Amino acid sequence: ANDLELFRLTKRYGDTVAVRDLNHLIAAGTYVCLLGPSGCGKSSTLRMIAGHESVTEGAILLEGVDISGLPPAGRGTAMMFQNYALFPHLTVRDNVAFSLKMRGVAKAKRHVRADELLELVDMAPYAARRPDQLSGGQQQRVALARALITQPKVLLLDEPLSALDPFLRVRMRVELKRLQRELGITFIHVTHGQDEALALADEVIVMNNAVIEQSGPPRALFNAP
Ligand code: ADP
Ligand code: ADP
């Protein structure tokens, strides 16, 4: 099947159960928003899917293959973080091309690819700049391009918009939905905002106390008009 399946997914840190026996199927191309109170297990779930955290029990199946034992770069997933974490001493182009360099892609080829991605996020004119010469919203677009250059099937976003001012936040929502349409990939987006989930999500997953409390289309869950 062409989807992402979390199967009996469990994460323990010592005695703390951060994620308990999670079972969920996400159809390819879905924009999922993951909500819930602080400490309910959202980040742990995201980090396990990305491969930044080991799975205690259970499996993560992407297109039918268990990726839970694979290194982060070999999974078909990519993660974009809250604080963007761009390398300050690298140009925008080299930031975006970084993971291709790690994979041994030749310089000319990775620059062509990086420029394509910068085009996609509307940042092509800024390729030669350094991150400190960009606004917060621009840095975020670069971080998106950097995550997308590996051609992930699943893009994981940990509160990507929380550092932006309200105006930019609304603009980035539009951009994220456009990318979903153009790329056809799955998004899993951790957010605290119901309004954000209403604007973005095809499906909302609400976690509480390490389990999924509810899931479904945002309008059904939030009683919105
Ligand atoms: P959320 O993202 O919803 O805030 P987390 O996944 O970060 O939730 O955390 C879930 C639970 O696991 C919390 O009780 C948190 O304190 C605990 N936790 C998260 N990361 C670690 C860690 N590296 N070591 C120990 N406990 C952790
Ligand atoms: P968030 O609120 O975005 O989930 P946190 O601030 O809870 O993030 O966690 C940031 C980092 O601290 C993560 O790497 C997480 O694994 C770690 N962490 C969170 N809770 C604990 C904890 N109780 N003990 C040890 N590390 C923790």
Side-chain angles (χ1 to χ4, degrees):
N2 191 19
D3 44 29
L4 178 70
E5 182 176 7
L6 310 180
F7 178 72
R8 308 209 62 171
L9 190 62
T10 297
K11 180 68 196 181
R12 283 191 292 268
Y13 304 97
D15 291 337
T16 304
V17 182
V19 178
R20 185 191 303 274
D21 199 20
L22 219 79
N23 290 289
H24 204 76
L25 196 65
I26 297 168
T30 307
Y31 203 113
V32 175
C33 282
L34 185 54
L35 276 83
S38 189
C40 71
K42 304 181 297 295
S43 292
S44 296
T45 301
L46 220 58
R47 291 200 303 265
M48 282 192 284
I49 297 170
H52 299 310
E53 193 76 74
S54 66
V55 167
T56 307
E57 276 166 37
I60 301 163
L61 301 158
L62 181 55
E63 299 181 348
V65 177
D66 186 3
I67 60 169
S68 63
L70 302 178
R75 298 184 160 211
T77 63
M79 186 142 168
M80 187 187 137
F81 298 93
Q82 202 165 21
N83 53 6
Y84 323 142
L86 300 175
F87 302 114
H89 57 291
L90 296 183
T91 63
V92 163
R93 181 183 285 120
D94 286 339
N95 262 285
V96 173
F98 187 77
S99 67
L100 296 187
K101 185 174 183 177
M102 293 295 99
R103 286 162 207 226
V105 177
K107 190 170 190 166
K109 194 170 173 190
R110 49 178 205 262
H111 281 184
V112 168
R113 206 44 209 129
D115 287 349
E116 285 170 10
L117 266 300
L118 286 169
E119 193 78 51
L120 182 72
V121 297
D122 252 341
M123 285 294 290
Y126 301 89
R129 295 218 196 164
R130 283 178 209 281
D132 66 1
Q133 297 173 297
L134 304 178
S135 70
Q138 291 173 331
Q139 288 184 33
Q140 186 181 44
R141 282 158 198 269
V142 175
L144 257 179
R146 193 174 64 172
L148 289 170
I149 201 164
T150 59
Q151 297 184 280
K153 294 172 178 146
V154 180
L155 183 64
L156 305 157
L157 305 147
D158 195 353
E159 297 189 49
L161 310 185
S162 59
L164 299 179
D165 68 52
F167 175 77
L168 271 177
R169 201 176 301 147
V170 169
R171 244 189 81 180
M172 280 309 297
R173 286 179 191 169
V174 176
E175 295 297 314
L176 288 168
K177 288 305 276 184
R178 180 177 61 82
L179 287 174
Q180 181 198 10
R181 276 197 310 276
E182 285 183 18
L183 302 174
I185 63 176
T186 305
F187 285 70
I188 306 180
H189 177 143
V190 169
T191 174
H192 279 109
Q194 275 201 11
D195 56 333
E196 199 146 288
L198 265 173
L200 286 168
D202 303 313
E203 185 189 359
V204 173
I205 297 176
V206 182
M207 286 185 74
N208 196 11
N209 256 322
V211 301
I212 294 179
E213 197 173 59
Q214 301 185 73
S215 66
R219 275 161 210 293
L221 254 62
F222 302 146
N223 283 317

PDB file of all heavy atoms in Angstrom, residues 4 10 13-14 35 39 55 65 87 90 112 125 156 160 174 176 178 198 225:
ATOM      1  N   LEU A   4       1.681   5.478   4.903  1.00  0.00           N
ATOM      2  CA  LEU A   4       2.547   5.394   6.079  1.00  0.00           C
ATOM      3  C   LEU A   4       1.737   4.753   7.197  1.00  0.00           C
ATOM      4  O   LEU A   4       0.655   5.237   7.543  1.00  0.00           O
ATOM      5  CB  LEU A   4       2.985   6.805   6.498  1.00  0.00           C
ATOM      6  CG  LEU A   4       3.862   6.900   7.745  1.00  0.00           C
ATOM      7  CD1 LEU A   4       5.253   6.332   7.484  1.00  0.00           C
ATOM      8  CD2 LEU A   4       3.978   8.356   8.201  1.00  0.00           C
ATOM      9  N   THR A  10       5.686   2.338  20.011  1.00  0.00           N
ATOM     10  CA  THR A  10       5.867   2.640  21.430  1.00  0.00           C
ATOM     11  C   THR A  10       7.245   3.243  21.675  1.00  0.00           C
ATOM     12  O   THR A  10       8.224   2.801  21.077  1.00  0.00           O
ATOM     13  CB  THR A  10       5.717   1.351  22.273  1.00  0.00           C
ATOM     14  OG1 THR A  10       4.383   0.855  22.126  1.00  0.00           O
ATOM     15  CG2 THR A  10       6.001   1.609  23.758  1.00  0.00           C
ATOM     16  N   TYR A  13      11.239   6.210  27.611  1.00  0.00           N
ATOM     17  CA  TYR A  13      12.511   6.736  28.117  1.00  0.00           C
ATOM     18  C   TYR A  13      12.589   6.278  29.567  1.00  0.00           C
ATOM     19  O   TYR A  13      11.912   6.853  30.415  1.00  0.00           O
ATOM     20  CB  TYR A  13      12.550   8.261  28.075  1.00  0.00           C
ATOM     21  CG  TYR A  13      12.300   8.886  26.711  1.00  0.00           C
ATOM     22  CD1 TYR A  13      11.031   9.345  26.362  1.00  0.00           C
ATOM     23  CD2 TYR A  13      13.335   9.047  25.790  1.00  0.00           C
ATOM     24  CE1 TYR A  13      10.799   9.943  25.138  1.00  0.00           C
ATOM     25  CE2 TYR A  13      13.109   9.648  24.560  1.00  0.00           C
ATOM     26  CZ  TYR A  13      11.839  10.089  24.238  1.00  0.00           C
ATOM     27  OH  TYR A  13      11.612  10.690  23.028  1.00  0.00           O
ATOM     28  N   GLY A  14      13.344   5.238  29.856  1.00  0.00           N
ATOM     29  CA  GLY A  14      13.347   4.712  31.216  1.00  0.00           C
ATOM     30  C   GLY A  14      11.936   4.324  31.616  1.00  0.00           C
ATOM     31  O   GLY A  14      11.296   3.517  30.931  1.00  0.00           O
ATOM     32  N   LEU A  35      -1.699  17.397  16.965  1.00  0.00           N
ATOM     33  CA  LEU A  35      -1.948  18.332  18.062  1.00  0.00           C
ATOM     34  C   LEU A  35      -1.958  17.608  19.400  1.00  0.00           C
ATOM     35  O   LEU A  35      -2.100  16.386  19.451  1.00  0.00           O
ATOM     36  CB  LEU A  35      -3.325  19.010  17.897  1.00  0.00           C
ATOM     37  CG  LEU A  35      -3.420  20.228  16.999  1.00  0.00           C
ATOM     38  CD1 LEU A  35      -3.563  19.811  15.557  1.00  0.00           C
ATOM     39  CD2 LEU A  35      -4.602  21.106  17.398  1.00  0.00           C
ATOM     40  N   GLY A  39       4.145  17.543  26.134  1.00  0.00           N
ATOM     41  CA  GLY A  39       4.509  16.308  26.821  1.00  0.00           C
ATOM     42  C   GLY A  39       3.672  15.101  26.440  1.00  0.00           C
ATOM     43  O   GLY A  39       3.875  14.013  26.985  1.00  0.00           O
ATOM     44  N   VAL A  55      12.986   3.361  18.034  1.00  0.00           N
ATOM     45  CA  VAL A  55      11.664   2.819  18.358  1.00  0.00           C
ATOM     46  C   VAL A  55      11.841   1.794  19.469  1.00  0.00           C
ATOM     47  O   VAL A  55      12.683   0.909  19.365  1.00  0.00           O
ATOM     48  CB  VAL A  55      11.055   2.161  17.090  1.00  0.00           C
ATOM     49  CG1 VAL A  55       9.853   1.312  17.427  1.00  0.00           C
ATOM     50  CG2 VAL A  55      10.712   3.225  16.060  1.00  0.00           C
ATOM     51  N   VAL A  65       7.195  -1.075   3.695  1.00  0.00           N
ATOM     52  CA  VAL A  65       8.527  -1.457   4.170  1.00  0.00           C
ATOM     53  C   VAL A  65       8.761  -0.883   5.563  1.00  0.00           C
ATOM     54  O   VAL A  65       8.505   0.304   5.803  1.00  0.00           O
ATOM     55  CB  VAL A  65       9.615  -0.926   3.214  1.00  0.00           C
ATOM     56  CG1 VAL A  65      11.011  -1.248   3.747  1.00  0.00           C
ATOM     57  CG2 VAL A  65       9.428  -1.484   1.813  1.00  0.00           C
ATOM     58  N   PHE A  87      23.174  26.404   8.581  1.00  0.00           N
ATOM     59  CA  PHE A  87      24.589  26.607   8.901  1.00  0.00           C
ATOM     60  C   PHE A  87      24.961  28.051   8.589  1.00  0.00           C
ATOM     61  O   PHE A  87      24.870  28.473   7.435  1.00  0.00           O
ATOM     62  CB  PHE A  87      25.460  25.650   8.100  1.00  0.00           C
ATOM     63  CG  PHE A  87      25.134  24.206   8.328  1.00  0.00           C
ATOM     64  CD1 PHE A  87      24.615  23.422   7.317  1.00  0.00           C
ATOM     65  CD2 PHE A  87      25.329  23.632   9.578  1.00  0.00           C
ATOM     66  CE1 PHE A  87      24.294  22.086   7.532  1.00  0.00           C
ATOM     67  CE2 PHE A  87      25.011  22.292   9.805  1.00  0.00           C
ATOM     68  CZ  PHE A  87      24.498  21.531   8.778  1.00  0.00           C
ATOM     69  N   LEU A  90      27.640  28.881   5.763  1.00  0.00           N
ATOM     70  CA  LEU A  90      27.409  28.427   4.393  1.00  0.00           C
ATOM     71  C   LEU A  90      26.424  29.346   3.685  1.00  0.00           C
ATOM     72  O   LEU A  90      25.533  29.908   4.310  1.00  0.00           O
ATOM     73  CB  LEU A  90      26.826  27.003   4.382  1.00  0.00           C
ATOM     74  CG  LEU A  90      27.691  25.869   4.920  1.00  0.00           C
ATOM     75  CD1 LEU A  90      26.971  24.530   4.743  1.00  0.00           C
ATOM     76  CD2 LEU A  90      29.058  25.829   4.225  1.00  0.00           C
ATOM     77  N   VAL A 112      22.827  22.600  -9.224  1.00  0.00           N
ATOM     78  CA  VAL A 112      21.662  22.650 -10.116  1.00  0.00           C
ATOM     79  C   VAL A 112      20.404  22.262  -9.346  1.00  0.00           C
ATOM     80  O   VAL A 112      19.376  22.930  -9.385  1.00  0.00           O
ATOM     81  CB  VAL A 112      21.859  21.701 -11.332  1.00  0.00           C
ATOM     82  CG1 VAL A 112      20.549  21.525 -12.102  1.00  0.00           C
ATOM     83  CG2 VAL A 112      22.951  22.231 -12.242  1.00  0.00           C
ATOM     84  N   PRO A 125      16.687  34.154  -5.952  1.00  0.00           N
ATOM     85  CA  PRO A 125      17.582  35.322  -5.977  1.00  0.00           C
ATOM     86  C   PRO A 125      18.529  35.407  -4.773  1.00  0.00           C
ATOM     87  O   PRO A 125      19.434  36.228  -4.773  1.00  0.00           O
ATOM     88  CB  PRO A 125      16.609  36.521  -5.962  1.00  0.00           C
ATOM     89  CG  PRO A 125      15.285  35.970  -6.325  1.00  0.00           C
ATOM     90  CD  PRO A 125      15.273  34.548  -5.879  1.00  0.00           C
ATOM     91  N   LEU A 156       8.350  15.926   7.665  1.00  0.00           N
ATOM     92  CA  LEU A 156       7.982  16.079   9.071  1.00  0.00           C
ATOM     93  C   LEU A 156       8.333  17.478   9.532  1.00  0.00           C
ATOM     94  O   LEU A 156       9.461  17.947   9.331  1.00  0.00           O
ATOM     95  CB  LEU A 156       8.740  15.038   9.902  1.00  0.00           C
ATOM     96  CG  LEU A 156       8.520  13.597   9.414  1.00  0.00           C
ATOM     97  CD1 LEU A 156       9.654  12.693   9.849  1.00  0.00           C
ATOM     98  CD2 LEU A 156       7.186  13.078   9.910  1.00  0.00           C
ATOM     99  N   PRO A 160       6.816  24.418  12.713  1.00  0.00           N
ATOM    100  CA  PRO A 160       7.669  25.208  11.819  1.00  0.00           C
ATOM    101  C   PRO A 160       7.303  26.688  11.780  1.00  0.00           C
ATOM    102  O   PRO A 160       8.126  27.511  11.416  1.00  0.00           O
ATOM    103  CB  PRO A 160       7.427  24.569  10.457  1.00  0.00           C
ATOM    104  CG  PRO A 160       6.056  24.014  10.546  1.00  0.00           C
ATOM    105  CD  PRO A 160       5.931  23.509  11.968  1.00  0.00           C
ATOM    106  N   VAL A 174      -0.031  29.096   3.143  1.00  0.00           N
ATOM    107  CA  VAL A 174      -0.378  29.020   1.726  1.00  0.00           C
ATOM    108  C   VAL A 174       0.724  28.281   0.961  1.00  0.00           C
ATOM    109  O   VAL A 174       0.459  27.432   0.109  1.00  0.00           O
ATOM    110  CB  VAL A 174      -0.604  30.440   1.147  1.00  0.00           C
ATOM    111  CG1 VAL A 174      -0.872  30.377  -0.346  1.00  0.00           C
ATOM    112  CG2 VAL A 174      -1.750  31.125   1.879  1.00  0.00           C
ATOM    113  N   LEU A 176       2.879  26.096   2.125  1.00  0.00           N
ATOM    114  CA  LEU A 176       2.923  24.670   2.470  1.00  0.00           C
ATOM    115  C   LEU A 176       1.833  23.900   1.719  1.00  0.00           C
ATOM    116  O   LEU A 176       2.084  22.800   1.211  1.00  0.00           O
ATOM    117  CB  LEU A 176       2.775  24.479   3.984  1.00  0.00           C
ATOM    118  CG  LEU A 176       4.001  24.904   4.803  1.00  0.00           C
ATOM    119  CD1 LEU A 176       3.663  24.959   6.303  1.00  0.00           C
ATOM    120  CD2 LEU A 176       5.176  23.954   4.573  1.00  0.00           C
ATOM    121  N   ARG A 178       0.569  24.763  -1.147  1.00  0.00           N
ATOM    122  CA  ARG A 178       0.988  24.721  -2.548  1.00  0.00           C
ATOM    123  C   ARG A 178       1.998  23.592  -2.762  1.00  0.00           C
ATOM    124  O   ARG A 178       1.909  22.827  -3.721  1.00  0.00           O
ATOM    125  CB  ARG A 178       1.603  26.066  -2.956  1.00  0.00           C
ATOM    126  CG  ARG A 178       2.070  26.115  -4.409  1.00  0.00           C
ATOM    127  CD  ARG A 178       2.616  27.468  -4.803  1.00  0.00           C
ATOM    128  NE  ARG A 178       3.787  27.883  -4.030  1.00  0.00           N
ATOM    129  CZ  ARG A 178       5.042  27.492  -4.284  1.00  0.00           C
ATOM    130  NH1 ARG A 178       5.289  26.673  -5.284  1.00  0.00           N
ATOM    131  NH2 ARG A 178       6.036  27.924  -3.536  1.00  0.00           N
ATOM    132  N   LEU A 198      -6.828  23.896  11.130  1.00  0.00           N
ATOM    133  CA  LEU A 198      -7.999  24.123  10.260  1.00  0.00           C
ATOM    134  C   LEU A 198      -7.572  24.582   8.877  1.00  0.00           C
ATOM    135  O   LEU A 198      -8.150  24.192   7.858  1.00  0.00           O
ATOM    136  CB  LEU A 198      -8.914  25.180  10.875  1.00  0.00           C
ATOM    137  CG  LEU A 198     -10.080  24.681  11.713  1.00  0.00           C
ATOM    138  CD1 LEU A 198     -10.782  25.861  12.379  1.00  0.00           C
ATOM    139  CD2 LEU A 198     -11.070  23.889  10.869  1.00  0.00           C
ATOM    140  N   PRO A 225     -17.554  25.730  11.227  1.00  0.00           N
ATOM    141  CA  PRO A 225     -18.601  25.834  10.208  1.00  0.00           C
ATOM    142  C   PRO A 225     -18.132  25.254   8.878  1.00  0.00           C
ATOM    143  O   PRO A 225     -16.956  25.282   8.592  1.00  0.00           O
ATOM    144  CB  PRO A 225     -18.863  27.330  10.089  1.00  0.00           C
ATOM    145  CG  PRO A 225     -17.655  27.995  10.645  1.00  0.00           C
ATOM    146  CD  PRO A 225     -17.095  27.045  11.671  1.00  0.00           C
TER     147      PRO A 225
END
